[in-house]
Amino acid sequence: MKLKLLIVEDDSSIATQMKWALAQDYEIFLAEDRPSALEILGKERPHVVTLDLGLPPYPGEVKEGFMALTEMLSQESLVKVVVITGQGEKDHALKAIGEGAYDFFCKPIQIDELKVVLNRAFYVSQLEREYRELQQQLSGESFEGMLGTSPQIQEVFSSILKVATTEVPVLIVGESGTGKELVAKAIHRNSSRRKCPFIVINCSAIPETLLESELFGHEKGAFTGAHIQRKGRFEMAQEGTLFLDEIGELSPALQVKLLRFLEEQKIERVGGREAIVVNARVLAATNKDLNQAIKEGKFREDLYYRLGVVTISLPTLREREGDVLLLATTLLHRYAHENEKKVTGFTTQAIHAIKTYPWPGNVRELENRIKRAVIMAEEQKVSPADLELDFPYSKYEGRGLKEAREGLEKALIQKALAKNKGNITKAAEELGVSRPTLYELMERLGIGKEK
Ligand SMILES: Nc1ncnc2c1ncn2[C@@H]1O[C@H](COP(=O)(O)OP(=O)(O)OP(=O)(O)O)[C@@H](O)[C@H]1O
Ligand SMILES: [Mg+2]
């Protein structure tokens, strides 16, 4: 199939001469004026156009030609326009380049030279198109290290881009392992603060007594053991972003201090007397239902509204249509490469298991299972047993999705607990959920800790 070339030329003898000389290499379309040129551009979508600047109704001037140039580029931004001008009109040609033409050529036309110019124009156009396609593919599947083509996750990507450039706090909510921390990093990296620190603190991982000084710092002698003055995470995040993970675990006293910061951009070190102005953007995440916590009086409503000016809700893996296989396959290849294992894919049964399993621990659980499967696999294809997803599905068939899912979750949690002799931390790790999440699940499913 020949490449398409549009020749815009009102002098029919020149047009015929060009067509005759170039027809061997290209599929040629001719237009005599601006409207027909635009029409052909829209219909045939040639990648390259030669454009005579002197077109009717003003063949002696260049304004019609320039108008055609602008309109063609706005209609097809990747089209390569080679401008053809009369002799001694080089300044028009240069002006045209300034307006987006790809190259120029002066009459009388030397066909051999023109062929070289056109050849190169087609080549550049091809490269640009390939590059754009590649970029579209990349941006479609991966965004800041996050994979996913489902509409659910694509919406998250677009929210990230929307909020990144603003200064408002963002509350990121979603089940365990859905990617909340990745979202926070993506917001930071797409913001004007990207060159400044991104500081993370997990509010549930630090005992309450230490958390205050961890967050706000302390003065020398503020409490026993405070031998030196120390800056807290807020001050470390100066000019940057502070990510408060598991915000639902914050104690009432610290909620007040955080609220004050959000209202006044000021903090006080523990044992300190003066307020310190801090310029940090706050992002917070939780897998708890904060509305419920507010009802129970555990979380301040005013803080909730301050933090959640914008809320980004992450979809669970089971809600993300089609993404689980994309993620599973990408991760399988990544880990196979890292571990130098010759694992090439999944068996049909494994694919079925991946698609039906409810993934309570979301992407983190998927990562853990695939990592382990790649290491354990003895065949080239990963089996359900390698993924430890070889439990009796048939038992749950025909029971309705919710019941089947809960049955499976219960069975899996009991299995993990038994295997780890009731050690919640280890069981949670194995299941790819956080400890609080596992507690919640156990409570919901009526599983006793003593098992
Ligand atoms: N869309 C995604 N594409 C690729 N990897 C992802 C995606 N979402 C999450 N992950 C990976 O899954 C793991 C869990 O993500 P992350 O730590 O951001 O989740 P989280 O919501 O903060 O979980 P938790 O509530 O347990 O803290 C990470 O290793 C992360 O890289
Ligand atoms: Mg997290």
Side-chain angles (χ1 to χ4, degrees), residues 177 179-181 202 243 245-246 285 364:
K180 296 186 290 296
E181 187 157 347
N202 185 329
F243 175 47
D245 204 358
E246 311 232 17
R364 174 164 307 113

Side-chain angles (χ1 to χ4, degrees), residues 34 38 41 51 53 55 62-79 81 83 95-96 98-101:
R34 180 171 56 91
L38 283 162
L41 183 71
L51 173 66
L53 285 179
L55 292 177
V62 291
K63 66 176 176 195
E64 190 71 8
F66 270 100
M67 216 150 110
L69 174 64
T70 315
E71 287 176 355
M72 285 198 277
L73 286 173
S74 71
Q75 189 174 316
E76 280 278 1
S77 64
L78 290 186
V79 72
V81 181
V83 167
K95 186 172 167 243
E99 301 209 10

Side-chain angles (χ1 to χ4, degrees), residues 30 62 81 182 198 209 341 357 361 420:
L30 293 176
V62 291
V81 181
L182 272 189
F198 176 76
T209 45
K341 288 267 300 191
Y357 180 64
N420 293 291

